[in-house]
Amino acid sequence: MKDLIKKLPKAELHLHIEGTFEPELMFEIAKRNNLKIKYSTIDELKAAYDFNNLQEFLDLYYEACNVLITKKDFYDLTYAYLKRAKENNIVHVEIMFDPQTHTERGIKFSTVIEGIHQALIDGEKDFGISYKLIMSFLRHLSEEAAFTTLESAKPYKEIIDAIGLDSSEIGHPPSKFTRVFAEARNQGYFITAHAGEEAPSSYVWEAIKDLKVDRIDHGNKSLEDPNLIKYLAENRIALTVCPLSNLKLKVVNNLNNHPLKTMLDAGLFVTINSDDPAYFGGYLNDNFIQIQGALNLSENEIIQLARNSIEASLLEDKQKKVILDNFKF
Ligand code: ADE
Ligand code: ZN
């Protein structure tokens, strides 16, 4: 089974580039920028990766981002992830980045996106990994701030494919961002939003009805509402599920209780993703391997999950077909 998982071509659709910041690289970048990290050693830093909820993780994630200053920093962060992606036999990535995490502390939008984008270009050349870019708004900030961010993205319209919504979920429902997502849709962006990670199924409904999302990030709590399950299945709205993230952030107390199998059995269009792998103990293959073991998923289910990742991606139909035609397992 592990061999099958490693061999399967996969797309990663829910990946925060800032969440791939490995401690070794964090210390290296901090040093070259003459900045101090709160922790004196890698082990001390790693010991802090013990979260009780999403907010505890986000506090550390945003703090770690403080050492990212130059275009090269964003380049190195992204290129390091792409190397890992290649090792995981990922053939296509849809990377999320949070520009406000950086512009809020005085880094230029252009520095962030140009560093990330150059690494994606080089990664495609060096590893054959195709890519899309998802710009995500921070939901703990205002809708006005999201509008400003959308405006900053205008010169980069050709390289940003989708708009997302992330950060602290509870208390910041999708409806807070209805107008800015209407504008993003007007501008032609594909829409995705984190919903139903910690907050209830009503947040998933709002993402669908108010933001008119094309895809849902997480969506675990959708299972609370049979009407929502029916709606997601009938409309083939993909969910980008992140098992190890859910475990580390205590969305589930044990992978044996993870809702993925129930989602599959309910006919939902689910995919497996790593979310913030540097913090959650594993990249994409580890997510597949651990959830397969915990839920005793069959080979067919694993193959289906890998196929779903290609089908739910933003690739064109003919590009999907080329990849799927190679699924001879
Ligand atoms: N930002 C990075 N990872 C996130 C997650 N799992 N949920 C919400 N916002 C995030
Ligand atoms: Zn996420």
Side-chain angles (χ1 to χ4, degrees):
M1 188 65 88
K2 275 190 194 165
D3 281 349
L4 172 69
I5 289 170
K6 288 179 186 166
K7 268 195 272 176
L8 279 168
K10 294 166 290 283
E12 173 129 85
L13 308 180
H14 182 163
L15 183 281
H16 303 265
I17 199 62
E18 294 91 344
T20 68
F21 205 3
E22 289 287 344
E24 291 75 9
L25 186 60
M26 208 183 285
F27 275 88
E28 186 186 318
I29 290 182
K31 190 165 170 218
R32 75 184 184 212
N33 289 334
N34 289 315
L35 292 167
K36 275 250 163 309
I37 294 178
K38 191 163 111 184
Y39 304 91
S40 44
T41 64
I42 287 176
D43 284 345
E44 219 179 272
L45 170 63
K46 282 187 179 165
Y49 293 4
D50 180 22
F51 313 112
N52 289 305
N53 52 45
L54 174 60
Q55 192 58 51
E56 286 187 11
F57 156 68
L58 289 172
D59 291 344
L60 206 149
Y61 163 99
Y62 293 128
E63 192 180 316
C65 287
N66 286 335
V67 303
L68 295 165
I69 309 290
T70 66
K71 215 183 269 190
K72 179 167 166 45
D73 299 340
F74 289 95
Y75 178 95
D76 289 351
L77 174 69
T78 308
Y79 197 82
Y81 164 68
L82 292 169
K83 271 191 195 159
R84 300 266 194 171
K86 178 72 183 168
E87 288 162 14
N88 282 254
N89 207 19
I90 294 172
V91 296
H92 174 71
V93 292
E94 301 194 349
I95 286 188
M96 247 178 273
F97 73 114
D98 297 337
Q100 290 159 293
T101 299
H102 315 294
T103 53
E104 282 269 295
R105 54 189 181 85
I107 308 297
K108 283 194 195 146
F109 188 97
S110 58
T111 301
V112 180
I113 193 163
E114 289 173 16
I116 294 172
H117 187 234
Q118 189 57 50
L120 290 168
I121 293 171
D122 291 352
E124 181 160 41
K125 195 159 35 90
D126 297 346
F127 308 126
I129 300 174
S130 58
Y131 61 87
K132 302 285 178 188
L133 201 46
I134 305 172
M135 180 178 86
S136 214
F137 299 135
L138 297 182
R139 70 200 307 158
H140 66 273
L141 300 178
S142 66
E143 186 179 47
E144 198 188 340
F147 266 113
T148 305
T149 306
L150 189 59
E151 192 59 31
S152 308
K154 276 217 169 117
Y156 300 96
K157 180 91 190 26
E158 290 306 308
I159 59 172
I160 299 172
D161 303 280
I163 301 292
L165 182 68
D166 63 13
S167 190
S168 320
E169 189 181 18
I170 292 172
H172 302 285
S175 54
K176 179 177 162 187
F177 296 92
T178 301
R179 291 172 314 157
V180 72
F181 274 88
E183 177 55 26
R185 285 199 317 279
N186 250 339
Q187 293 183 17
Y189 290 107
F190 179 94
I191 304 293
T192 178
H194 284 54
E197 180 182 12
E198 284 188 338
S201 54
S202 61
Y203 278 50
V204 181
W205 274 124
E206 283 192 11
I208 294 168
K209 302 284 184 198
D210 296 340
L211 308 189
K212 304 195 170 27
V213 291
D214 300 292
R215 204 159 73 194
I216 294 277
D217 293 316
H218 296 293
N220 296 41
K221 296 290 187 327
S222 306
L223 293 181
E224 293 170 355
D225 180 350
N227 289 328
L228 179 55
I229 296 172
K230 191 159 173 273
Y231 187 93
L232 290 168
E234 282 177 3
N235 291 280
R236 226 172 132 64
I237 297 176
L239 305 182
T240 63
V241 175
C242 307
L244 291 178
S245 164
N246 295 154
L247 182 65
K248 279 297 259 185
L249 302 187
K250 300 200 165 50
V251 168
V252 295
N253 58 10
N254 190 307
L255 278 187
N256 298 320
N257 300 326
H258 194 281
L260 184 76
K261 171 83 177 138
T262 312
M263 290 169 161
L264 279 169
D265 291 347
L268 294 181
F269 188 15
V270 279
T271 64
I272 293 187
N273 305 272
S274 69
D275 205 6
D276 302 284
Y279 294 93
F280 299 154
Y283 284 77
L284 191 56
N285 282 347
D286 299 315
N287 273 273
F288 267 86
I289 290 166
Q290 292 201 39
I291 199 68
Q292 186 281 325
L295 301 180
N296 198 22
L297 300 176
S298 68
E299 283 194 5
N300 280 343
E301 285 169 323
I302 289 297
I303 293 168
Q304 188 62 55
L305 287 161
R307 292 188 72 95
N308 286 356
S309 73
I310 307 298
E311 282 171 5
S313 77
L314 284 163
L315 289 167
E316 287 173 17
D317 286 347
K318 60 175 189 294
Q319 296 172 302
K320 291 180 186 175
K321 187 170 180 310
V322 171
I323 301 171
L324 292 171
D325 282 350
N326 280 326
F327 268 69
K328 301 199 172 66
F329 298 95

